[in-house]
Amino acid sequence: MPRRGTERIGLIAGDGTRETIAEILAILAREEFSLAFFESVETIADADELSGLAAIVLWLEDAVASIPGLVETLTKRSQRIPVVVACADIQRWEVRAALAAGAVGVIVEEDLESGLGSCLRAVRAGQICVPRGHWRQVEPPALSAREKQVLGLVVGGYMNSQIAERLFLAESTVKSHLSSAFGKLGVRSRNEAAELILDPERGLGLGILGLEAEHVETGPAIAG
């Protein structure tokens, strides 16, 4: 039975990984944490199951495929409970994507034993915790003037060829600017970029482009 004063940590992970993380927490913070296990994000049906949790650790087998869906679903259900994403490895844009989806902590498998306890303490204290090599992803991405122009037209519905024509650039240059901007935003496509910029709940908004909503031109409605 957990001692008085311990805080419950929700853990969502498969059997093998669950045992590993639970063992690490038991060793590192036996008097500090107790664990509540969940099979998946989908099994967290209502607020009652989240009641009393100080934080949630979500293990992702595939960060690329899981961040857009599972992390955002969990953070919306968990409301103010801090969510830490744990995974085998993570790329720069994936860290940005996890933070944009509402996570406040990211930790990779090789750092679990040495850093999971510290990560949980940090997010419970209202901090954001990411691997040291990815600290730049915590701040809103700094876009170049040209990247802002290109993204502004993407948000307005313009295709690469049309953006190239309007900005007097080669289409390959437009693609290069978009690739750089996608990496900074933590997205993989023009649709994801537009959704991230236009979604008021994810903290970027048109201000990242130096634009107000009424100043965004609406281009031809072309899918892509």
Side-chain angles (χ1 to χ4, degrees), residues 12-86:
I12 305 172
D15 291 339
T17 307
R18 174 192 297 179
E19 293 172 3
T20 301
I21 296 177
E23 183 178 349
I24 290 170
L25 283 174
I27 293 172
L28 294 178
R30 187 169 294 129
E31 297 183 3
E32 199 170 347
F33 305 128
S34 61
L35 289 173
F37 297 111
F38 301 93
E39 291 294 331
S40 66
V41 171
E42 290 73 18
T43 62
I44 301 177
D46 53 48
D48 290 341
E49 294 183 299
L50 299 172
S51 177
L53 293 182
I56 299 173
V57 177
L58 171 63
W59 173 265
L60 298 180
E61 293 292 344
D62 184 349
V64 174
S66 303
I67 285 174
L70 290 182
V71 176
E72 191 164 355
T73 298
L74 178 58
T75 56
K76 285 182 177 179
R77 290 185 184 182
S78 61
Q79 300 297 322
R80 297 182 179 180
I81 301 171
V83 172
V84 173
V85 169

Side-chain angles (χ1 to χ4, degrees), residues 126-168:
Q127 307 298 306
I128 290 177
C129 185
V130 300
R132 181 177 298 172
H134 297 299
W135 66 269
R136 286 184 174 85
Q137 304 312 116
V138 174
E139 293 296 326
L143 300 170
S144 71
R146 188 62 90 181
E147 288 167 352
K148 290 179 180 180
Q149 285 182 312
V150 171
L151 282 172
L153 291 170
V154 165
V155 171
Y158 288 85
M159 301 302 296
N160 289 355
S161 59
Q162 297 167 318
I163 295 172
E165 182 177 354
R166 289 181 66 87
L167 298 181
F168 303 101

Side-chain angles (χ1 to χ4, degrees), residues 101-217:
V104 293
V106 174
I107 189 167
V108 294
E109 187 171 18
E110 66 178 4
D111 295 333
L112 282 172
E113 187 170 349
S114 62
L116 182 56
S118 297
C119 181
L120 286 169
R121 294 182 194 103
V123 301
R124 285 159 53 230
Q127 307 298 306
I128 290 177
C129 185
V130 300
R132 181 177 298 172
H134 297 299
W135 66 269
R136 286 184 174 85
Q137 304 312 116
V138 174
E139 293 296 326
L143 300 170
S144 71
R146 188 62 90 181
E147 288 167 352
K148 290 179 180 180
Q149 285 182 312
V150 171
L151 282 172
L153 291 170
V154 165
V155 171
Y158 288 85
M159 301 302 296
N160 289 355
S161 59
Q162 297 167 318
I163 295 172
E165 182 177 354
R166 289 181 66 87
L167 298 181
F168 303 101
L169 298 172
E171 189 170 347
S172 60
T173 303
V174 172
K175 291 179 180 178
S176 178
H177 286 307
L178 282 176
S179 177
S180 175
F182 290 170
K184 293 177 180 179
L185 293 175
V187 299
R188 292 173 292 170
S189 71
R190 58 197 302 116
N191 288 338
E192 288 183 5
E195 289 174 3
L196 177 62
I197 291 168
L198 293 172
D199 186 345
E201 295 183 358
R202 298 170 82 179
L204 293 183
L206 289 168
I208 197 173
L209 306 179
L211 300 172
E212 298 295 337
E214 60 268 22
H215 294 157
V216 176
E217 296 184 70

